[in-house]
Amino acid sequence: MRELLPGLYLLPVPIPYPLKTVNLYLLKGNGEVALVDTALGTRAAKGTLELYLAELGLCFADIGAVLLTHHHPDHYGLAGFLEGLGARVFLHEEELPRGHRFWREPEAFAEASLRLFLDHGMPEEALLGIQETMAKTRERVHPPQSPTPLKDGEVLEVAGRRLKTVWTPGHADGHVAFFLEEEGVLLAGDALLERVSPNVGLWAYTRENPLKDFLASLDRLAELPAKVAHAGHFGPIQDVRARALELKAHHAERLEGLLALLEEPKTAWALSLKLFPQELDAAGRRFAFAETLAHLEYLRLEGLLLREGPPYRYFRA
């Protein structure tokens, strides 16, 4: 745990994923306590968070507000648990019928998810591994029952700080960053990461063009007068604009790479194996597929690709 500003603390919490930890941010002031993101509902995460709180003379029930950057399990998993102890949970309005519903109502997108994977070439044996992984993940996610919807630009006054909600869709439809304008500090969630490119995937419940959303979000972040960004994983980003432009360049290269692979029509699944040739577990392969599909749909909607099927195969326009 580290104090970044008076009353603003960084809390790295372990997660059972390749990124190893997720960064939570705790605000304490004016007799109030707020937490930005919650980690996954595992014994290790919960125990680590409890120890951090104890160091500050707090317990779970002292958390009055939970500000969620997005619905992904490593950020959202304990939100329902904290809500049950009295915390008010905030989540961007775009997440409510999409990512939040994905966790609250498992059956809502089950058929559409299955169809999306199969229609884009995923073999049934790979799909079985993904279904098993998702079932295990659901056991670790405790969705809030009544989150308060956030709007873009909304200012929250919590624990002695003013945080402006900055809607940054792409990594998730309702992803938000929280900007402490007076201090020039951005709590960026997964919209910007220091070492890796945030996953931008197309799922059965997402908006139709998440990569276009993400690129627009990077443009928006690049224009913010932020002195530093503290992200959902890894260390701080000292030059927000430069990192946003680096990520845009990365995706431009990936789009060019995909076009180069399309000498003949191919499915998103086949292209994902080319684009991400490394050995991946079922969860990693699922993310690789969704990212590939997001890039293909971006190119199709920009008029550079066509598709035929199902099963859908993409080819140059």
Side-chain angles (χ1 to χ4, degrees):
M1 183 170 63
R2 189 156 58 92
E3 191 170 19
L4 304 174
L5 294 172
L8 173 63
Y9 300 87
L10 162 66
L11 281 56
V13 173
I15 51 174
Y17 300 142
L19 297 181
K20 303 297 183 187
T21 59
V22 60
N23 294 332
L24 315 184
Y25 297 92
L26 185 139
L27 298 99
K28 184 173 181 280
N30 288 358
E32 300 174 343
V33 178
L35 189 65
V36 177
D37 289 339
T38 70
L40 194 63
T42 63
R43 184 178 300 175
K46 201 170 176 182
T48 301
L49 181 53
E50 189 170 27
L51 287 173
Y52 287 143
L53 291 171
E55 282 187 54
L56 295 169
L58 303 169
C59 64
F60 287 127
D62 291 317
I63 298 172
V66 172
L67 316 182
L68 295 172
T69 58
H70 60 302
H71 76 278
H72 292 167
D74 51 332
H75 298 259
Y76 167 101
L78 282 169
F81 164 73
L82 294 170
E83 181 188 53
L85 295 175
R88 185 180 181 190
V89 178
F90 294 85
L91 186 66
H92 189 269
E93 59 186 358
E94 191 76 5
E95 293 285 56
L96 300 183
R98 300 176 183 274
H100 175 60
R101 189 178 179 214
F102 175 81
W103 296 116
R104 280 290 310 276
E105 304 172 37
E107 70 286 350
F109 301 105
E111 185 177 343
S113 294
L114 177 67
R115 182 51 46 205
L116 179 78
F117 292 139
L118 293 175
D119 280 354
H120 287 278
M122 183 179 288
E124 291 197 13
E125 59 270 23
L127 183 58
L128 182 61
I130 285 170
Q131 288 173 323
E132 290 173 352
T133 299
M134 283 306 302
K136 186 175 182 180
T137 300
R138 285 190 181 277
E139 295 174 2
R140 298 166 163 176
V141 173
H142 309 286
Q145 299 302 302
S146 304
T148 299
L150 284 173
K151 294 184 179 295
D152 182 38
E154 186 172 344
V155 175
L156 297 174
E157 297 192 13
V158 293
R161 301 278 182 185
R162 289 171 53 86
L163 295 88
K164 183 177 181 179
T165 302
V166 183
W167 183 37
T168 47
H171 177 68
D173 292 325
H175 190 288
V176 295
F178 295 104
F179 187 35
L180 285 73
E181 291 184 282
E182 294 173 17
E183 299 86 347
V185 171
L186 181 69
L187 303 181
D190 285 357
L192 290 174
L193 296 176
E194 175 199 20
R195 302 181 199 170
V196 299
S197 172
N199 177 262
V200 180
L202 179 62
W203 309 100
Y205 59 85
T206 54
R207 289 156 60 93
E208 68 170 3
N209 199 342
L211 181 56
K212 185 173 183 178
D213 284 342
F214 186 66
L215 297 176
S217 293
L218 291 175
D219 286 336
R220 187 175 188 193
L221 290 169
E223 297 305 316
L224 278 182
K227 299 172 185 174
V228 62
H230 295 286
H233 306 275
F234 308 124
I237 298 161
Q238 301 295 343
D239 191 333
V240 172
R241 178 177 177 79
R243 184 59 182 147
L245 295 178
E246 284 175 2
L247 289 170
K248 285 195 71 175
H250 163 78
H251 285 286
E253 289 178 13
R254 179 154 289 172
L255 291 167
E256 288 179 12
L258 264 178
L259 287 171
L261 289 170
L262 282 165
E263 296 294 337
E264 57 186 32
K266 292 185 177 71
T267 65
W269 175 257
L271 286 162
S272 75
L273 297 175
K274 296 282 188 183
L275 207 58
F276 300 93
Q278 62 268 43
E279 194 71 29
L280 296 172
D281 62 11
R285 188 48 63 192
R286 173 175 170 266
F287 284 120
F289 165 81
E291 175 124 359
T292 303
L293 183 57
H295 284 71
L296 288 167
E297 281 298 293
Y298 174 87
L299 290 168
R300 185 179 74 85
L301 293 168
E302 290 291 310
L304 297 172
L305 292 181
L306 299 171
R307 72 180 190 187
E308 59 185 9
Y312 293 113
R313 297 190 304 162
Y314 290 84
F315 55 96
R316 293 184 190 181

